[in-house]
């Protein structure tokens, strides 16, 4: 029986969706998906309750007395209740999406690299699948799926599944609904190995394939640690710059922001991260969004292990040190509740739980276990954890019970239900060089910039800029850090770049702190609002919601 999920209206204990069959047409002219979904049920009780958000339901087939669409909740959307006849095995729902669907972004040609064709992509995690498919949108309700997508030529449709042939998809492994994904655009493919390759707009393909050329080695490193990769292909899709996240672990096809293509592979730990989710997250899944750290803490830990295997311990420790610094800084401003690994998200949007806490505090806790019991023993346990819970969605409680079977008496209460970092937290240290040089990795520049005084003068900024050309940097991480400092120092020469960056890039992690920093002064806020008026139409609904709150 699935754990109770406060972010879903669905009733899987009574009627449970097992397979989702989609038949959808993609209409760019009115920004709608339209068609039908057939849901196979087992068991099927008297009623079936689905999650929806801003869907227009045209018809339900297989119901005994029609359907009722409940009231819309701001966070959860609206329940769709369908009465089932005795012996029901499936229902068919005919529907269309709203142009404002929170899980879809419709891009004009101008927002793509090629500028010729429109683009569509989905982002279902955490609870946005319901805005483009009526289903039981809870990570505890795993489904297999198949799909037929009608997209206008010459555009290509891709999904988080095996591509049976053009426009036809099938995923035989049961997944949580937040992993159902779709992208449609002018996309081409380049193979990296037998099972790995890159999808991107034609003009991006070569640089992307070069940046990500180590992906097969990463899969092999992860397999060496945690057992076979169970999803067939592992491909990467490079999205336009409005993609609101760094990456998304959609099965068979990780979605990635183009802002990780730095030219020097310095940001490819993102690939290690999304790949790691093939074990932690996609194979063993958080049962509710309060257990999100099970997905992201394990994944951040494994990301480090993959990096270590490919690029050495020094490199992985450097990145861990940067992340630990980000965690400590962020926790200073977080309410106590949000500093716990298991968070209470009742009445909240689960997207709000996305801080560094589940990621880095989670990874530090696993690192503690590794150091305490030794790598060999801990690795064996982690592998057995993935095998034991494969294709299941589990709670923090279940994790603890399974841990205690091998490591009896292990006390993790302070990590899981107390704020801050416990005294036994591992210290991740890295000896950063202090004299900059051209050959520095992105992370070394970030560290160097971040340790500067917060009250740098515009004159000092100008001197740094003259020496290192930060305003002109093509590296998104360095740009974001530099622009933050430019706002603080009121360093005017960087403000043109700031506007260009905020209009061109919609990755939430970058734009959020920049608007926040601008909003700290009255003059800055006016400037932020002027930029946002131009930038907002190009942002994804998730990024729009975040910036709306900052500038309201
Ligand atoms: N699964 C997450 C993205 C996510 C989390 C989307 C919660 C919606 C709700 C993904 O694996 C992730 O963590 N992405 C990070 C990059 C990573 C290298 C830390 C991101 O996008 O910043
Ligand atoms: Zn992740």
């Amino acid at each position: 029986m699935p754990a109770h999920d406060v972010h879903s209206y669905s009733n899987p204990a009574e009627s449970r969706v097992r397979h989702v069959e989609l038949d959808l047409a993609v209409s760019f002219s009115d920004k709608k998906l339209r068609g039908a979904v057939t849901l196979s049920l087992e068991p099927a009780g008297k009623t079936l309750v689905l999650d929806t958000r801003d869907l227009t339901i045209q018809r339900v087939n297989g119901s005994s007395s029609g359907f009722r669409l409940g009231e819309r909740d701001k966070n959860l959307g609206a329940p769709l209740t369908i009465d089932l006849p005795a012996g029901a095995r499936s229902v068919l729902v005919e529907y269309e999406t709203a142009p404002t669907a929170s899980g879809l972004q419709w891009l004009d040609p101008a927002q793509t690299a090629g500028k010729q064709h429109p683009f569509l992509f989905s982002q279902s995690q955490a609870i946005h699948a319901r805005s483009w498919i009526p289903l039981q949108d809870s990570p505890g309700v795993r489904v297999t799926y198949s799909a037929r997508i009608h997209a206008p030529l010459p555009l290509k449709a891709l999904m988080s599944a095996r591509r049976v042939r053009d426009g036809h998809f099938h995923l035989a492994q049961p997944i949580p609904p937040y992993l159902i994904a779709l992208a449609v655009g002018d996309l081409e493919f380049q193979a990296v190995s037998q099972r790995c390759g890159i999808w991107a707009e034609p003009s991006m393909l070569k640089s992307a394939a070069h940046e990500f050329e180590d992906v097969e080695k990463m899969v092999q490193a992860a397999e060496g640690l945690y057992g076979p990769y169970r999803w067939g292909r592992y491909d990467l899709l490079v999205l336009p710059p409005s993609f609101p996240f760094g990456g998304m672990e959609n099965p068979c096809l990780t979605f990635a922001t183009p802002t990780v293509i730095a030219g020097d592979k310095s940001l490819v730990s993102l690939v290690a991260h999304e790949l790691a989710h093939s074990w932690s997250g996609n194979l063993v899944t958080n049962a509710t969004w309060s257990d999100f750290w099970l997905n992201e803490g394990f994944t951040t830990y494994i990301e480090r292990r993959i990096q270590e295997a490919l690029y050495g311990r020094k490199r992985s420790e450097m990145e861990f040190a940067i992340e630990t610094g980000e965690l400590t800084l962020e926790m200073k401003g977080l309410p106590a509740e949000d500093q716990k690994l298991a968070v209470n998200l009742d009445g909240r949007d689960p997207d709000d739980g996305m801080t560094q806490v589940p990621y880095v505090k989670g990874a530090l806790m696993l690192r503690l276990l590794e150091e305490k019991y030794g790598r060999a023993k801990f690795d064996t346990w982690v592998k057995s954890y993935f095998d034991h819970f494969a294709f299941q969605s589990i709670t923090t409680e279940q994790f603890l019970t399974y841990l205690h079977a091998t490591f009896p008496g292990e006390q993790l209460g302070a990590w899981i239900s107390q704020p801050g970092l416990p005294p036994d937290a591992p210290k991740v240290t890295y000896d950063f060089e202090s004299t900059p040089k051209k050959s520095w990795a992105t992370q070394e520049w970030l560290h160097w910039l971040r340790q500067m005084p917060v009250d740098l003068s515009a004159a000092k900024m100008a001197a740094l800029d003259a020496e290192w050309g930060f305003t002109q940097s093509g590296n998104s991480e360095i740009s974001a850090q530099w622009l933050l400092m430019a706002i603080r120092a009121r360093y005017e020469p960087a403000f043109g770049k700031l506007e260009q960056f905020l209009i061109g890039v919609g990755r939430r992690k970058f734009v959020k702190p920049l608007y926040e920093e601008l909003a700290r002064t009255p003059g800055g806020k006016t400037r932020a609002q002027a930029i946002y008026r131009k930038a907002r139409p190009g942002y994804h609904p998730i990024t729009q919601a975040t910036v709306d709150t900052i500038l309201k």
Side-chain angles (χ1 to χ4, degrees):
M1 229 244 284
H4 179 67
D5 176 5
V6 298
H7 294 110
S8 174
Y9 286 114
S10 67
N11 63 339
E14 182 188 353
S15 301
R16 189 172 174 134
V17 176
R18 299 285 175 176
H19 181 74
V20 173
E21 194 182 323
L22 288 163
D23 190 330
L24 293 173
V26 182
S27 174
F28 281 101
S29 58
D30 54 3
K31 302 189 172 172
K32 282 178 176 180
L33 296 176
R34 48 169 83 73
V37 63
T38 305
L39 304 170
S40 309
L41 309 171
E42 171 62 42
K46 282 199 160 60
T47 61
L48 169 69
V49 186
L50 305 176
D51 294 295
T52 74
R53 178 188 277 138
D54 303 332
L55 296 179
T56 305
I57 309 296
Q58 277 129 354
R59 192 167 66 95
V60 174
N61 246 5
S63 146
S64 55
S65 65
F67 62 90
R68 297 179 296 285
L69 197 58
E71 221 176 284
R72 180 191 198 273
D73 176 88
K74 167 173 72 65
N75 290 331
L76 305 183
L80 173 64
T81 306
I82 299 169
D83 296 316
L84 300 174
R89 296 196 33 207
S90 69
V91 295
L92 177 144
V93 183
E94 252 180 50
Y95 70 98
E96 66 182 40
T97 60
T100 52
S102 63
L104 300 175
Q105 191 181 9
W106 299 85
L107 301 180
D108 295 330
Q111 292 174 270
T112 66
K115 316 278 178 216
Q116 298 299 309
H117 300 281
F119 201 105
L120 163 70
F121 66 86
S122 71
Q123 168 56 43
S124 297
Q125 197 181 12
I127 56 169
H128 303 287
R130 63 190 68 178
S131 75
W132 65 285
I133 311 170
L135 42 56
Q136 295 184 313
D137 194 8
S138 170
V141 184
R142 306 183 80 93
V143 295
T144 54
Y145 83 93
S146 50
R148 166 106 182 79
I149 304 294
H150 310 262
L153 286 171
L155 302 190
K156 191 138 211 125
L158 298 176
M159 290 194 86
S160 52
R162 185 167 66 84
R163 201 159 58 96
V164 181
R165 55 181 197 278
D166 257 359
H168 294 252
F169 303 89
H170 181 72
L171 190 71
Q173 299 91 328
I175 53 159
Y178 73 82
L179 292 176
I180 304 180
L182 169 69
V184 180
D186 179 20
L187 293 166
E188 277 178 10
F189 178 76
Q190 186 172 323
V192 169
S193 67
Q194 276 284 316
R195 62 175 162 179
C196 299
I198 315 297
W199 287 96
E201 287 190 65
S203 68
M204 303 281 296
L205 190 55
K206 244 186 125 203
S207 59
H210 177 259
E211 198 81 10
F212 302 139
E213 67 187 1
D214 292 340
V215 54
E216 170 66 35
K217 282 189 216 143
M218 288 186 176
V219 182
Q220 287 175 15
E223 286 186 309
L225 288 165
Y226 307 117
Y229 177 77
R230 305 194 196 209
W231 306 89
R233 297 198 57 85
Y234 182 74
D235 294 324
L236 285 153
L237 167 64
V238 179
L239 288 134
S242 69
F243 186 60
F245 295 108
M248 179 64 213
E249 65 272 26
N250 298 131
C252 311
L253 183 69
T254 281
F255 284 22
T257 170
T259 62
V260 291
I261 303 175
D264 61 359
K265 299 193 202 169
S266 62
L267 303 175
V268 294
S269 63
L270 179 120
V271 177
H273 179 99
E274 304 312 334
L275 168 67
H277 276 304
S278 306
W279 288 264
S280 45
N282 300 5
L283 189 59
V284 179
T285 307
N286 51 212
T288 76
W289 297 113
S290 293
D291 306 303
F292 183 56
W293 80 271
L294 284 177
N295 279 16
E296 299 299 345
F298 268 93
T299 294
T300 303
Y301 171 80
I302 295 174
E303 171 195 337
R304 294 281 81 81
R305 297 294 304 273
I306 295 173
Q307 269 221 303
E308 184 181 325
L310 264 79
Y311 309 114
R313 175 85 173 174
K314 208 176 154 205
R315 169 81 208 194
S316 69
E317 288 298 280
M318 179 169 89
E319 296 204 17
F320 210 167
I322 292 274
E323 283 179 324
T324 311
E326 289 171 353
L327 170 70
T328 317
L329 187 68
E330 186 176 16
M331 275 209 293
K332 289 196 180 116
L334 285 180
E337 182 54 40
D338 292 354
Q339 299 180 27
K340 305 170 182 176
L341 281 182
V343 281
N344 178 3
L345 293 170
D346 214 343
R348 294 170 65 186
D349 180 343
D351 286 353
D352 295 347
M354 209 191 164
T355 68
Q356 297 281 350
V357 173
Y359 290 77
V360 183
K361 187 178 173 183
L364 282 169
M365 185 179 86
L366 297 171
R367 161 93 163 224
L368 170 72
L369 296 174
E370 178 202 308
E371 288 178 355
K372 188 161 164 190
Y373 297 107
R375 200 170 247 200
K377 196 159 182 221
F378 186 62
D379 284 357
T380 305
W381 179 82
V382 176
K383 182 170 188 294
S384 77
Y385 164 84
F386 290 134
D387 289 336
H388 183 79
F389 291 115
F391 299 111
Q392 293 183 47
S393 302
I394 67 162
T395 61
T396 300
E397 243 2 90
Q398 285 169 285
F399 154 82
L400 282 172
T401 306
Y402 190 73
L403 184 80
H404 288 148
T406 302
F407 306 113
E410 180 56 50
Q411 295 297 322
L412 297 177
W415 287 87
I416 288 167
S417 29
Q418 297 295 321
L421 281 181
D424 61 352
K427 303 269 174 294
V428 182
T429 52
Y430 181 84
D431 228 350
F432 282 97
E433 286 179 23
S434 51
T435 317
K437 49 173 191 252
K438 278 240 151 56
S439 62
W440 261 8
T442 305
Q443 291 75 11
E444 295 177 289
W445 288 110
L446 288 179
H447 179 265
W448 188 68
L449 289 171
R450 285 174 186 169
Q451 52 83 50
M452 300 220 168
V454 284
D455 56 353
L456 280 190
S457 67
K460 176 74 187 167
M461 290 287 289
L464 289 172
D465 212 4
E467 190 167 8
W468 301 107
F470 289 122
T471 300
Q472 302 314 320
S473 170
N475 182 304
S476 61
E477 292 279 351
I478 292 171
S479 294
Q481 178 60 37
W482 176 251
L483 292 171
L484 197 67
M485 295 164 68
I487 298 169
R488 284 187 195 134
R490 307 202 182 156
Y491 175 58
E492 287 291 334
F495 278 76
K497 171 71 181 269
L498 173 66
E499 172 160 341
Q500 182 202 327
F501 188 81
L502 286 172
I503 291 173
V505 177
R507 185 174 172 189
R508 190 171 66 163
K509 168 182 137 174
F510 291 151
V511 307
K512 182 175 183 246
L514 292 172
Y515 283 110
E516 279 170 346
E517 195 61 50
L518 280 169
R520 284 203 175 106
T521 63
K525 190 159 182 178
T526 310
R527 192 167 223 161
Q529 281 158 338
I531 297 175
Y532 190 43
R533 265 194 293 281
K534 294 186 224 170
R536 191 179 188 280
Y539 287 169
H540 185 282
I542 290 175
T543 304
Q544 287 180 347
T546 301
V547 183
D548 286 353
T549 312
I550 298 167
L551 297 182
K552 71 174 174 290

